Coordinates of all heavy atoms in Angstrom, one line a residue:
Chain D
E439 N -87.1 -211.4 -11.8 CA -87.7 -212.7 -11.3 C -87.3 -213.8 -12.2 O -87.6 -213.8 -13.4 CB -89.2 -212.5 -11.2 CG -89.7 -211.4 -10.3 CD -89.6 -211.8 -8.8 OE1 -89.8 -213.0 -8.5 OE2 -89.4 -210.9 -8.0
L440 N -86.8 -214.9 -11.6 CA -86.4 -216.0 -12.4 C -87.3 -217.2 -12.2 O -87.7 -217.5 -11.0 CB -84.9 -216.4 -12.0 CG -83.9 -215.4 -12.2 CD1 -82.5 -215.9 -11.6 CD2 -83.7 -215.0 -13.6
T441 N -87.7 -217.8 -13.2 CA -88.5 -219.0 -13.1 C -88.0 -220.0 -14.2 O -87.4 -219.6 -15.2 CB -90.0 -218.8 -13.4 OG1 -90.2 -218.0 -14.6 CG2 -90.7 -218.0 -12.2
L442 N -88.3 -221.3 -13.9 CA -88.0 -222.3 -14.9 C -89.0 -222.3 -16.1 O -90.2 -222.1 -15.8 CB -87.9 -223.7 -14.3 CG -86.7 -224.0 -13.3 CD1 -86.9 -225.4 -12.8 CD2 -85.4 -223.8 -14.1
T443 N -88.5 -222.6 -17.3 CA -89.5 -222.8 -18.3 C -89.9 -224.2 -18.3 O -89.4 -225.0 -17.5 CB -88.8 -222.5 -19.7 OG1 -87.7 -223.5 -19.9 CG2 -88.2 -221.1 -19.8
E444 N -90.9 -224.5 -19.1 CA -91.3 -225.9 -19.3 C -90.1 -226.9 -19.5 O -90.0 -227.8 -18.7 CB -92.3 -226.0 -20.5 CG -92.8 -227.4 -20.8 CD -93.9 -227.8 -19.9 OE1 -94.6 -226.9 -19.3 OE2 -94.1 -229.0 -19.7
E445 N -89.3 -226.5 -20.5 CA -88.1 -227.3 -20.8 C -87.2 -227.4 -19.5 O -86.6 -228.4 -19.3 CB -87.4 -226.6 -21.9 CG -86.0 -227.2 -22.3 CD -86.2 -228.5 -23.1 OE1 -87.3 -229.0 -23.3 OE2 -85.1 -229.1 -23.4
G446 N -87.1 -226.3 -18.8 CA -86.2 -226.2 -17.6 C -86.7 -227.2 -16.6 O -85.9 -227.9 -15.9
R447 N -88.0 -227.2 -16.4 CA -88.6 -228.1 -15.4 C -88.4 -229.6 -15.8 O -88.1 -230.5 -15.0 CB -90.1 -227.9 -15.3 CG -90.5 -227.1 -14.1 CD -91.9 -226.7 -14.0 NE -92.2 -225.5 -14.9 CZ -93.1 -225.4 -15.8 NH1 -93.9 -226.4 -16.0 NH2 -93.3 -224.3 -16.5
R448 N -88.4 -229.8 -17.1 CA -88.2 -231.2 -17.6 C -86.7 -231.6 -17.3 O -86.5 -232.7 -16.8 CB -88.4 -231.2 -19.1 CG -88.7 -232.6 -19.7 CD -89.0 -232.5 -21.2 NE -87.9 -231.9 -21.9 CZ -86.7 -232.5 -22.1 NH1 -86.5 -233.7 -21.6 NH2 -85.7 -231.9 -22.8
L449 N -85.8 -230.7 -17.6 CA -84.4 -231.0 -17.3 C -84.1 -231.2 -15.8 O -83.3 -232.1 -15.5 CB -83.5 -229.8 -17.8 CG -82.9 -230.0 -19.2 CD1 -81.7 -229.0 -19.3 CD2 -82.3 -231.4 -19.3
A450 N -84.8 -230.5 -15.0 CA -84.6 -230.6 -13.5 C -84.7 -232.0 -13.1 O -83.9 -232.5 -12.3 CB -85.5 -229.7 -12.8
G451 N -85.7 -232.7 -13.6 CA -85.9 -234.1 -13.2 C -84.7 -235.0 -13.7 O -84.2 -235.8 -12.9
Q452 N -84.2 -234.7 -14.9 CA -83.1 -235.5 -15.4 C -81.9 -235.3 -14.6 O -81.0 -236.2 -14.4 CB -82.9 -235.2 -16.9 CG -84.1 -235.5 -17.8 CD -83.8 -235.3 -19.3 OE1 -82.7 -234.9 -19.6 NE2 -84.8 -235.4 -20.1
I453 N -81.7 -234.0 -14.2 CA -80.5 -233.7 -13.3 C -80.6 -234.5 -12.1 O -79.6 -235.1 -11.6 CB -80.5 -232.2 -13.0 CG1 -80.2 -231.4 -14.3 CG2 -79.4 -231.9 -12.0 CD1 -80.4 -229.9 -14.2
T454 N -81.7 -234.5 -11.4 CA -81.8 -235.3 -10.2 C -81.4 -236.7 -10.3 O -80.7 -237.3 -9.5 CB -83.3 -235.3 -9.7 OG1 -83.8 -233.9 -9.7 CG2 -83.4 -235.9 -8.3
A455 N -81.8 -237.3 -11.4 CA -81.4 -238.7 -11.7 C -79.9 -238.8 -11.9 O -79.3 -239.8 -11.3 CB -82.1 -239.2 -12.9
I456 N -79.3 -237.9 -12.6 CA -77.8 -238.0 -12.8 C -77.1 -237.7 -11.5 O -76.1 -238.4 -11.2 CB -77.4 -236.9 -13.8 CG1 -77.9 -237.4 -15.2 CG2 -75.9 -236.7 -13.8 CD1 -77.7 -236.4 -16.3
E457 N -77.6 -236.8 -10.6 CA -76.9 -236.6 -9.3 C -76.9 -237.9 -8.5 O -76.0 -238.1 -7.7 CB -77.6 -235.5 -8.6 CG -77.3 -234.1 -9.2 CD -78.2 -233.0 -8.5 OE1 -79.3 -233.3 -8.1 OE2 -77.7 -231.8 -8.5
E458 N -78.0 -238.7 -8.7 CA -78.0 -239.9 -7.9 C -76.8 -240.8 -8.1 O -76.2 -241.3 -7.2 CB -79.2 -240.8 -8.3 CG -80.5 -240.3 -7.7 CD -80.4 -240.2 -6.2 OE1 -79.9 -241.2 -5.5 OE2 -80.9 -239.2 -5.6
D459 N -76.3 -240.8 -9.3 CA -75.1 -241.6 -9.6 C -73.9 -241.1 -8.8 O -73.1 -241.8 -8.2 CB -74.7 -241.5 -11.1 CG -75.8 -242.3 -11.9 OD1 -76.5 -243.1 -11.4 OD2 -75.9 -242.0 -13.1
L460 N -73.8 -239.7 -8.8 CA -72.7 -239.1 -8.0 C -72.8 -239.5 -6.6 O -71.8 -239.8 -5.9 CB -72.7 -237.6 -8.2 CG -71.6 -236.8 -7.4 CD1 -70.2 -237.2 -7.8 CD2 -71.8 -235.3 -7.6
Y461 N -74.0 -239.4 -6.0 CA -74.2 -239.7 -4.6 C -73.9 -241.1 -4.3 O -73.4 -241.5 -3.2 CB -75.7 -239.3 -4.2 CG -76.0 -237.9 -4.4 CD1 -77.2 -237.4 -4.6 CD2 -74.9 -236.9 -4.2 CE1 -77.5 -236.1 -4.8 CE2 -75.2 -235.6 -4.4 CZ -76.5 -235.1 -4.7 OH -76.7 -233.8 -4.8
R462 N -74.1 -242.0 -5.3 CA -73.7 -243.4 -5.0 C -72.2 -243.5 -4.9 O -71.7 -244.3 -4.0 CB -74.3 -244.3 -6.2 CG -75.6 -245.0 -5.8 CD -76.0 -246.0 -6.9 NE -76.4 -245.4 -8.2 CZ -77.6 -244.9 -8.4 NH1 -78.5 -245.0 -7.5 NH2 -77.9 -244.4 -9.5
S463 N -71.5 -242.8 -5.8 CA -70.0 -242.9 -5.6 C -69.6 -242.3 -4.3 O -68.7 -242.9 -3.6 CB -69.4 -242.0 -6.7 OG -69.7 -242.5 -8.0
I464 N -70.2 -241.3 -3.9 CA -69.8 -240.7 -2.6 C -70.1 -241.6 -1.4 O -69.3 -241.9 -0.6 CB -70.5 -239.3 -2.4 CG1 -70.1 -238.3 -3.4 CG2 -70.3 -238.8 -1.0 CD1 -70.8 -237.0 -3.3
D465 N -71.3 -242.2 -1.5 CA -71.7 -243.2 -0.5 C -70.8 -244.3 -0.4 O -70.5 -244.8 0.7 CB -73.2 -243.7 -0.7 CG -74.2 -242.6 -0.3 OD1 -73.9 -241.8 0.5 OD2 -75.3 -242.6 -0.9
A466 N -70.3 -244.8 -1.5 CA -69.4 -245.9 -1.6 C -68.1 -245.5 -0.8 O -67.5 -246.4 -0.1 CB -69.0 -246.3 -3.0
A467 N -67.6 -244.3 -1.0 CA -66.4 -243.9 -0.3 C -66.6 -243.6 1.2 O -65.7 -243.8 2.0 CB -65.8 -242.6 -0.9
V468 N -67.9 -243.3 1.6 CA -68.2 -243.1 3.0 C -68.3 -244.4 3.7 O -68.0 -244.5 4.9 CB -69.5 -242.3 3.1 CG1 -70.0 -242.2 4.6 CG2 -69.3 -240.9 2.6
E469 N -68.7 -245.4 3.0 CA -69.0 -246.7 3.5 C -68.0 -247.1 4.6 O -66.8 -247.2 4.4 CB -68.9 -247.8 2.4 CG -69.1 -249.2 2.8 CD -70.6 -249.5 2.9 OE1 -71.4 -248.8 2.4 OE2 -70.9 -250.5 3.7
G470 N -68.5 -247.4 5.8 CA -67.7 -247.9 6.9 C -67.1 -246.8 7.7 O -66.2 -247.1 8.5
R471 N -67.4 -245.5 7.4 CA -66.8 -244.4 8.1 C -67.8 -243.6 8.8 O -69.0 -243.8 8.5 CB -66.0 -243.5 7.2 CG -64.8 -244.3 6.5 CD -64.1 -243.4 5.6 NE -63.6 -244.1 4.4 CZ -62.6 -244.9 4.3 NH1 -61.8 -245.0 5.3 NH2 -62.3 -245.5 3.2
D472 N -67.4 -242.7 9.7 CA -68.3 -241.9 10.5 C -68.6 -240.6 9.8 O -67.8 -239.7 9.7 CB -67.7 -241.7 11.8 CG -68.6 -240.9 12.8 OD1 -69.7 -240.6 12.3 OD2 -68.3 -240.7 13.9
T473 N -69.8 -240.6 9.2 CA -70.2 -239.4 8.4 C -70.0 -238.1 9.2 O -69.6 -237.1 8.7 CB -71.6 -239.5 7.9 OG1 -71.8 -240.8 7.4 CG2 -71.9 -238.5 6.8
D474 N -70.4 -238.2 10.5 CA -70.4 -237.0 11.3 C -69.0 -236.4 11.5 O -68.9 -235.1 11.6 CB -71.0 -237.3 12.7 CG -72.5 -237.6 12.6 OD1 -73.1 -237.3 11.6 OD2 -73.0 -238.2 13.6
Q475 N -68.0 -237.2 11.5 CA -66.6 -236.7 11.6 C -66.3 -235.9 10.4 O -65.7 -234.8 10.4 CB -65.6 -237.9 11.7 CG -65.8 -238.7 13.0 CD -65.3 -237.9 14.2 OE1 -64.2 -237.4 14.2 NE2 -66.2 -237.8 15.3
I476 N -66.8 -236.4 9.2 CA -66.4 -235.8 8.0 C -67.2 -234.5 7.8 O -66.6 -233.4 7.6 CB -66.7 -236.7 6.8 CG1 -66.0 -238.1 7.0 CG2 -66.4 -236.1 5.5 CD1 -66.4 -239.2 6.1

Side-chain angles (χ1 to χ4, degrees):
Chain D
E439 299 284 330
L440 302 173
T441 48
L442 288 178
T443 63
E444 179 76 26
E445 175 76 0
R447 258 174 277 132
R448 203 179 56 71
L449 262 196
Q452 300 185 3
I453 293 169
T454 308
I456 288 174
E457 286 174 330
E458 279 308 313
D459 293 340
L460 177 61
Y461 297 150
R462 263 188 289 276
S463 300
I464 295 177
D465 283 334
V468 170
E469 180 79 21
R471 298 178 219 277
D472 184 356
T473 314
D474 291 344
Q475 296 288 310
I476 304 167

